[in-house]
Amino acid sequence: MATVPSSDVPAADGTLRILRHLSRTGPLPAASIAQAVGLPRSTTYHLLAVLGQHGLVAHLPEEHRYGLGLGAFELGSAYSRQAPLARAARPVLARLVDQVGESGHLAVLHGREVLYVVEERATRRPALVTDVGVRLPAHLTASGRAMLAALPRPQVRALFPDRAAFVDRTGLGPGRPAELRDLLVEVRRRGWASEDGDVTPGFASVGVAVRDHTGHPIAGLAVTFARPDVDATGAEALARAAQRAAADLSRRVGGAG
């Protein structure tokens, strides 16, 4: 095996720390990144520039922030196709869908968006927009809201610092940081998230976070259904079933369950 030059090791370590931090927080100013990962500002700017050349980091000049680039998404997408998380989720979702008779899916958080990595469609249920590889705004989806509610509050503020961070699909959902904050307070109190027409008119979802051994949300598991077919009591029953499935999946991937 070839010997790695000692001078390359700190640079590689710093690069990986930057990418890992951005994957959990979303776009941040360079000074905040440097402080969080324990690197000098000059080193951080240099590494960000190199990462930008390779498409792994994108500079957002209007916001004076850096976030993950398309290259990072492509790497994440490639991993998601064979990831242990996705493999472990498929039988769990299949059982959940068989039990409740509604479609289920698993998503992971990528900045302000969720990326769908597994979908299990129920028999005789319509196709949904939550197909594998699709990305949607995290603050509008049940799986995204469940994950955001499980994140530390400063990370959520970094992801959604102002109104410009919010996008709209159907005219519903939070459009300001204060509205998102209030919504996530309710998600934490209730233990599960929901959306009703925020993604697709006529459809609603309930979602639960899947956590690792530290309690960090590694995914969101959700069930989607036609709104006229399920009342409030039925939606809560679906949420409870999703909670049990999420706990099972957490245990399978080494989480607390």
Side-chain angles (χ1 to χ4, degrees):
M1 179 180 294
T3 302
V4 179
S6 60
S7 60
D8 291 344
V9 175
D13 179 72
T15 298
L16 293 172
R17 279 190 280 160
I18 288 173
L19 290 173
R20 183 178 294 275
H21 187 64
L22 288 177
S23 74
R24 294 188 172 184
T25 64
L28 291 172
S32 298
I33 297 171
Q35 182 179 13
V37 303
L39 292 174
R41 289 194 183 187
S42 59
T43 301
T44 301
Y45 276 109
H46 173 71
L47 293 178
L48 288 170
V50 173
L51 288 168
Q53 292 171 5
H54 292 277
L56 295 171
V57 163
H59 183 215
L60 310 174
E62 295 82 7
E63 301 179 35
H64 304 289
R65 293 168 182 261
Y66 292 82
L68 292 181
L70 181 60
F73 168 69
E74 290 171 346
L75 287 175
S77 298
Y79 174 75
S80 71
R81 289 193 290 270
Q82 53 186 323
L85 174 63
R87 291 185 180 182
R90 290 188 183 99
V92 174
L93 272 176
R95 281 195 296 273
L96 174 63
V97 169
D98 286 344
Q99 175 190 350
V100 302
E102 303 289 353
S103 297
H105 41 261
L106 188 83
V108 294
L109 196 61
H110 277 256
R112 297 182 190 134
E113 297 179 313
V114 294
L115 169 68
Y116 291 92
V117 296
V118 181
E119 183 184 36
E120 188 74 23
R121 191 181 305 172
T123 304
R124 293 187 294 277
R125 289 294 187 267
L128 304 171
V129 298
T130 53
D131 200 359
V132 173
V134 169
R135 293 188 293 170
L136 289 173
H139 67 285
L140 297 180
T141 68
S143 55
R145 291 171 180 178
M147 287 185 281
L148 291 174
L151 287 176
R153 289 168 177 78
Q155 290 190 22
V156 177
R157 288 196 296 269
L159 285 170
F160 297 92
D162 50 42
R163 297 186 68 167
F166 294 82
V167 299
D168 170 66
R169 280 180 63 91
T170 66
L172 301 174
R176 298 181 302 170
E179 294 174 354
L180 178 61
R181 183 174 62 249
D182 291 345
L183 185 153
L184 297 182
V185 167
E186 174 61 18
V187 173
R188 296 184 192 104
R189 183 197 66 78
R190 190 170 54 186
W192 49 276
S194 64
E195 63 84 16
D196 189 349
D198 300 62
V199 176
T200 304
F203 287 86
S205 301
V206 292
V208 182
V210 178
R211 301 171 184 262
D212 65 13
H213 67 284
T214 69
H216 182 80
I218 56 174
L221 185 152
V223 175
T224 298
F225 49 92
R227 190 64 185 89
D229 297 342
V230 181
D231 60 14
T233 300
E236 183 169 356
L238 290 175
R240 300 304 178 196
Q243 285 180 318
R244 293 190 292 272
D248 182 17
L249 181 54
S250 288
R251 288 189 292 269
R252 287 169 175 260
V253 296

